[in-house]
Amino acid sequence: MPVSGEDHSVNTGLLARVPLAIRNVLEIGCGTGEFGRAYKLRNPLARYVGVEIREAAAGKAREALDHVIVGNIEDPLTIGRIDAFRQGELFDALVVTGALGYLLNPGATLRELRSRVATAGVCTLLIPNLSHWRLMAQQFGGRWDCLEGDLPSKGDVRFFTRDTAIEMLREAGWEVLDAAPGRRWPQETDADAVLKLPIGGKPGAEPEQIQRDSSAFEWNIRATNGPCQPRLHVAALGLKKQAGVTEARVDHPLAALSTNPFVRAVWDHGQLSIPKGWDKGVLILHRQFMTDPGFYRSVSGLADKGWILVSDMDDDPGNWPQFQANDHLAFRGVHAVTVSTPALAQAVRQLNPNVQVFENAIFSLPHASAATPKQGNKVRIFFGALNRREDWVRVQTSIVKAALQRNSAIHFVVVHDEAVFASIPRSCPRSFIPQRPMNGICNCWPPATLRCCL
């Protein structure tokens, strides 16, 4: 599902496959700019250029994208406008959605555009699947109707299967990386239905392959300009979720990292399974004490096989007695430590010299909600914290006493902590903003489970 702020009509499967750590993006057939708008919520620093043949749609796209060129991508004049705008700078990513089916010579166009993409740049294609079982069923019934959703229609010029799309990219000089089936409405993809058709698939095809090729509405295909790079494996084990901490340190960073086609990333909270075939990589351990002997044996075994162990610690080494109990093994027993602030880095560096600061992250910028209206000239006192109630108790009496004396001049705004909000007298102007629901609440430092399938 789209995250807050993103257009619900955007193909999120394709969006998740466009790299985020890049600067320049070119989209062919940008329409009214919804896809580019959603991408820029994830990567605001990107310069996003769109090409659109329809003037009316291009006009709307200009409101969302950095630059829009009106024209047919197969027209040399349009290519010339792209070159004039980029002034020799290459694109890091090429995105082609529904426009490919309308091109007279899509292979030649992909070859032409490849020369304007940087080495190791990525091409991401959305290909409507000609082999979908509903289309094949229609053809065997003597019909070819326009179907709902993203399936090929009679108005398209070119149709592709997974294999023919891959062949076209290779002939255009691209190195194909992967092809993921898009199943945007799973209830509409009866994978078993194809087995009832008058054919059994192409010669030698296994039933699993037939089901794969016939159940996808579309294919999301990625290719790179140049030789494939070695794949980096990254696994991350986070705590059970509470108040957005694991999301900011594990979920959002790993989701962003996984958009890189040369990275394979898996992550979970509470327990983690490392896929078979991952002989080595980077394992990130989010806020783990390393006090359980079995757990530490598991991670040490991975280190012996070549894995790099990284502790992500958002706590001062002196804050928890569990750290001292095993001589700070959570910091000393790993190759490196990541933290959220320079102050933490300075404290951790005394235990492990390999420290890197990564600030807390959010995967996509949400629409900014309206601030709590300020009540006249009242002074606003804000409290928004997690596990800081003891700090509040120390100052509560003094603050409440002052508030009662000047309640006409003070407005309390409390986020998340209902007990703090309840401790403020009702006679004081006050507002409460609840925490959004999370996927489960955990006790402090629950035991973690690491399952290796190597």
Side-chain angles (χ1 to χ4, degrees), residues 320-334:
W320 295 90
Q322 291 93 327
F323 286 145
Q324 288 87 1
N326 59 6
D327 194 25
H328 296 93
L329 191 62
F331 302 92
R332 300 180 186 274
V334 294

Side-chain angles (χ1 to χ4, degrees), residues 266-336:
V266 294
W267 64 97
D268 209 336
H269 58 275
Q271 61 182 1
L272 176 69
S273 294
I274 297 178
K276 292 181 179 180
W278 285 25
D279 54 347
K280 59 183 177 179
V282 178
L283 175 62
I284 302 170
L285 303 168
H286 171 59
R287 304 180 77 188
Q288 304 292 337
F289 279 135
M290 305 287 199
T291 54
D292 181 82
F295 179 83
Y296 188 68
R297 282 196 299 271
S298 295
V299 299
S300 296
L302 288 175
D304 292 340
K305 295 178 180 180
W307 282 77
I308 302 298
L309 305 183
V310 177
S311 279
D312 181 70
M313 282 294 178
D314 203 22
D315 292 275
D316 190 291
N319 188 50
W320 295 90
Q322 291 93 327
F323 286 145
Q324 288 87 1
N326 59 6
D327 194 25
H328 296 93
L329 191 62
F331 302 92
R332 300 180 186 274
V334 294
H335 296 96

Side-chain angles (χ1 to χ4, degrees), residues 102-383:
Y102 294 92
L103 301 182
L104 296 176
N105 194 338
T109 300
L110 289 172
R111 180 180 294 277
E112 182 75 22
L113 293 173
R114 187 174 65 84
S115 65
R116 288 149 179 89
V117 174
T119 301
V122 176
C123 173
T124 306
L125 298 180
L126 176 66
I127 305 293
N129 183 20
L130 183 63
S131 296
H132 189 269
W133 70 269
R134 288 177 63 193
L135 285 175
M136 289 193 287
Q138 282 194 4
Q139 293 174 59
F140 279 102
R143 300 188 59 84
W144 181 268
D145 295 327
C146 181
L147 300 179
E148 297 178 356
D150 288 341
L151 293 174
S153 67
K154 292 182 291 187
D156 292 333
V157 176
R158 300 287 184 206
F159 303 122
F160 304 95
T161 64
R162 173 184 178 274
D163 292 348
T164 58
I166 289 174
E167 290 172 5
M168 175 183 61
L169 280 163
R170 287 174 175 164
E171 290 174 359
W174 295 89
E175 188 73 26
V176 177
L177 298 172
D178 48 44
R183 298 178 176 89
R184 298 181 66 184
W185 298 280
Q187 68 276 15
E188 296 292 336
T189 55
D190 183 1
D192 293 330
V194 70
L195 301 178
K196 302 175 184 177
L197 296 177
I199 59 169
K202 62 185 180 182
E206 296 294 330
E208 294 79 7
Q209 180 181 345
I210 297 173
Q211 291 184 343
R212 178 202 68 186
D213 291 347
S214 62
S215 62
F217 271 107
E218 74 252 344
W219 292 100
N220 297 326
I221 302 178
R222 286 189 298 189
T224 184
N225 184 20
C228 290
Q229 301 179 14
R231 302 292 176 92
L232 173 65
H233 295 148
V234 180
L237 174 63
L239 290 179
K240 290 183 178 179
K241 297 182 179 179
Q242 183 180 23
V245 176
T246 304
E247 286 89 338
R249 302 303 301 173
V250 178
D251 293 8
H252 296 322
L254 269 293
L257 185 63
S258 66
T259 66
N260 186 325
F262 304 111
V263 173
R264 291 291 180 267
V266 294
W267 64 97
D268 209 336
H269 58 275
Q271 61 182 1
L272 176 69
S273 294
I274 297 178
K276 292 181 179 180
W278 285 25
D279 54 347
K280 59 183 177 179
V282 178
L283 175 62
I284 302 170
L285 303 168
H286 171 59
R287 304 180 77 188
Q288 304 292 337
F289 279 135
M290 305 287 199
T291 54
D292 181 82
F295 179 83
Y296 188 68
R297 282 196 299 271
S298 295
V299 299
S300 296
L302 288 175
D304 292 340
K305 295 178 180 180
W307 282 77
I308 302 298
L309 305 183
V310 177
S311 279
D312 181 70
M313 282 294 178
D314 203 22
D315 292 275
D316 190 291
N319 188 50
W320 295 90
Q322 291 93 327
F323 286 145
Q324 288 87 1
N326 59 6
D327 194 25
H328 296 93
L329 191 62
F331 302 92
R332 300 180 186 274
V334 294
H335 296 96
V337 182
T338 57
V339 296
S340 59
T341 67
L344 276 175
Q346 184 175 357
V348 171
R349 199 166 280 117
Q350 301 175 39
L351 300 171
N352 192 321
N354 303 313
V355 182
Q356 180 65 47
V357 176
F358 291 105
E359 296 180 353
N360 289 339
I362 187 170
F363 187 59
S364 180
L365 295 176
H367 289 306
S369 57
T372 303
K374 193 170 184 179
Q375 299 182 3
N377 293 322
K378 287 182 171 62
V379 175
R380 181 178 292 171
I381 298 179
F382 172 79
F383 183 93

Side-chain angles (χ1 to χ4, degrees), residues 30-33 50-65 67-71:
C30 66
T32 55
V51 177
E52 174 56 45
I53 196 171
R54 299 167 296 166
E55 178 64 58
K60 295 181 180 179
R62 290 189 180 96
E63 300 174 5
L65 310 185
H67 187 69
V68 177
I69 296 169
V70 180

Side-chain angles (χ1 to χ4, degrees), residues 12 37 52 76 99 132 236 264 335 341 343 369 393 397 433 435 441:
T12 54
R37 187 195 305 273
E52 174 56 45
H132 189 269
R264 291 291 180 267
H335 296 96
T341 67
S369 57
V393 169
T397 302
I433 303 173
Q435 171 194 320
I441 300 297

Side-chain angles (χ1 to χ4, degrees), residues 6-66:
E6 293 180 357
D7 191 310
H8 285 245
S9 66
V10 170
N11 189 314
T12 54
L14 185 71
L15 184 63
R17 298 170 68 75
V18 182
L20 292 181
I22 57 176
R23 179 69 178 86
N24 293 304
V25 183
L26 174 65
E27 181 184 355
I28 307 303
C30 66
T32 55
E34 291 89 350
F35 189 91
R37 187 195 305 273
Y39 178 83
K40 284 183 69 68
L41 288 173
R42 299 180 172 190
N43 183 8
L45 299 180
R47 184 175 67 166
Y48 202 102
V49 180
V51 177
E52 174 56 45
I53 196 171
R54 299 167 296 166
E55 178 64 58
K60 295 181 180 179
R62 290 189 180 96
E63 300 174 5
L65 310 185
D66 297 286

